[in-house]
Amino acid sequence: MITLTPEDVKARFGPLFAQKFIVMVDEQAGMAEILETCRHRGTIEWDMMNRRRAGGVLASAGVQGSSMTMRARLGREDAHFGAAGKEIGGQALEGVEVQGDEVVTTWAGIAGAGVGVAACLPQAPGVIRAEYPTEDDLRIGGARVCRVRIVSPVYEKVTIGIDDTDTKEDGATWVLALKCAEACRVAGAEYLNMRLVQLNPAVPKKTTNCVGSVLNFAVRPGAVDELLAFVKDYIEKNAVSGDTGIAYYRGIDVPQSEYARKIKTEILEREEVEAEAERIGVTFIDSARSKGRIGAFGAVLWGNCGVEAAGLYGERPDGGI
């Protein structure tokens, strides 16, 4: 086994294009979410299509711009790997394994895809070290096959829903949520993204558009409490409403709930939302204990559902229903 740091890899192959690599783990669910960002969109798109074809532990993958988000099963599985073909991928994720406070992802690539996993990805910020089975795996390019184990810190995913920070006269929840994310300096917390979640516009007690906000973070397990304390303090100090709600979920996928539909189509009571939140493991941390909890809970439910979160229930990105 040959072990190289990201700096060693860069010195050996020259600087390449990987910009971020984060692995979030939910051991209870047996799943991981992997975020990978490249400076160039084309490489990410090709990698995604080939990894899907190869299978291995990969459950799903999607691309937004030059970033790819993968869902993977924990463990190791044989992949349909080799020169790209109808049922074979030229790059594969063969394993995701937790080892203490580190997580090991195992990769295979052939030809140019071998350069991607052996020389490019190991340089990404977030990588601790790369482990190559043999010297041959460091002979990149041509028609060669390369394999590598990439070691990175274990993160978990924390989804935070926020609503009712504004009034009809002042404020905007999405602005406050984004300011909170940009102000966060909690060590071990990596801000991932924010989404606006369209709630039921027919609700009578609202400001105008009835929209909640959600912040997604990758967090080192020991930093979760500090992150939640920061968000609660920042939001409540800067909110202009007395009804602010803040809720969070720790894990890759929020459990299924019929309230994902109800939050966009029905008028709900705080007490029933609190009961459903307790059932599926969503926790409230706000001080107001008011109607804002309804929207905060809805934001958590839709926080990782893609662009549909921003629409009315059943509304599709192509404009259909």
Side-chain angles (χ1 to χ4, degrees):
M1 188 77 72
I2 300 98
T3 300
L4 300 179
T5 66
E7 292 73 23
D8 295 333
V9 176
K10 190 176 293 184
R12 182 159 184 156
F13 300 113
L16 292 175
F17 318 109
Q19 292 185 306
K20 181 178 286 188
F21 184 77
I22 295 175
V23 183
M24 294 161 276
V25 173
D26 186 338
E27 291 192 82
Q28 185 174 351
M31 296 294 293
E33 181 172 311
I34 304 170
L35 174 64
E36 177 186 341
T37 301
C38 180
R39 288 207 303 273
H40 304 283
R41 179 172 178 166
T43 57
I44 283 287
E45 292 174 339
W46 191 93
D47 291 348
M48 182 196 72
M49 299 304 290
N50 277 264
R51 292 176 194 175
R52 282 179 171 180
R53 212 178 303 129
V57 295
L58 187 69
S60 64
V63 166
Q64 290 184 318
S66 61
S67 292
M68 181 186 339
T69 301
M70 294 159 278
R71 298 288 177 90
R73 296 174 290 276
L74 298 184
R76 295 198 60 159
E77 297 180 24
D78 291 336
H80 306 291
F81 166 71
K86 184 177 180 181
E87 297 178 352
I88 299 175
Q91 194 179 84
L93 175 60
E94 298 179 317
V96 181
E97 299 166 286
V98 178
Q99 297 181 358
D101 65 349
E102 297 178 337
V103 59
V104 179
T105 52
T106 304
W107 303 86
I110 189 169
V115 178
V117 297
C120 188
L121 197 54
Q123 297 184 23
V127 173
I128 298 172
R129 64 186 181 275
E131 299 173 346
Y132 301 85
T134 70
E135 282 287 348
D136 284 343
D137 294 292
L138 288 161
R139 298 178 65 228
I140 63 174
R144 299 182 185 92
V145 171
C146 300
R147 281 185 162 82
V148 63
R149 289 159 40 95
I150 296 177
V151 182
S152 59
V154 169
Y155 284 84
E156 63 177 281
K157 190 170 190 178
V158 179
T159 299
I160 305 173
I162 303 164
D163 195 31
D164 246 328
T165 69
D166 54 355
T167 67
K168 288 183 180 294
E169 292 74 34
D170 196 17
T173 294
W174 71 270
V175 173
L176 182 56
L178 281 178
K179 286 183 175 180
C180 177
E182 293 186 349
C184 182
R185 298 293 183 270
V186 174
E190 293 277 345
Y191 169 61
L192 299 176
N193 55 56
M194 180 274 254
R195 279 197 169 90
L196 278 74
V197 178
Q198 179 65 59
L199 307 169
N200 182 2
V203 169
K205 296 180 180 179
K206 62 181 181 181
T207 48
T208 305
N209 290 316
C210 202
V211 177
S213 297
V214 65
L215 300 175
N216 286 304
F217 288 88
V219 193
R220 296 282 280 150
V224 174
D225 289 345
E226 185 180 355
L227 171 66
L228 294 173
F230 171 81
V231 172
K232 172 180 166 61
D233 182 67
Y234 189 96
I235 294 296
E236 293 189 339
K237 276 186 177 179
N238 292 283
V240 294
S241 165
D243 293 315
T244 297
I246 308 171
Y248 74 89
Y249 180 78
R250 296 173 68 167
I252 299 296
D253 287 313
V254 179
Q256 293 291 313
S257 170
E258 63 178 343
Y259 279 77
R261 173 187 58 80
K262 288 183 175 183
I263 204 75
K264 286 177 174 277
T265 60
E266 298 183 14
I267 297 173
L268 305 173
E269 298 296 328
R270 175 175 58 84
E271 292 79 10
E272 64 177 305
V273 164
E274 290 174 335
E276 178 67 2
E278 183 177 6
R279 186 187 74 82
I280 66 172
V282 173
T283 303
F284 293 102
I285 56 173
D286 57 79
S287 302
R289 300 184 179 184
S290 188
K291 66 183 181 68
R293 289 191 167 186
I294 301 171
F297 178 61
V300 171
L301 292 180
W302 284 89
N304 291 286
C305 293
V307 69
E308 292 83 0
L312 302 173
Y313 188 75
E315 193 173 23
R316 301 198 307 266
D318 63 5
I321 296 290

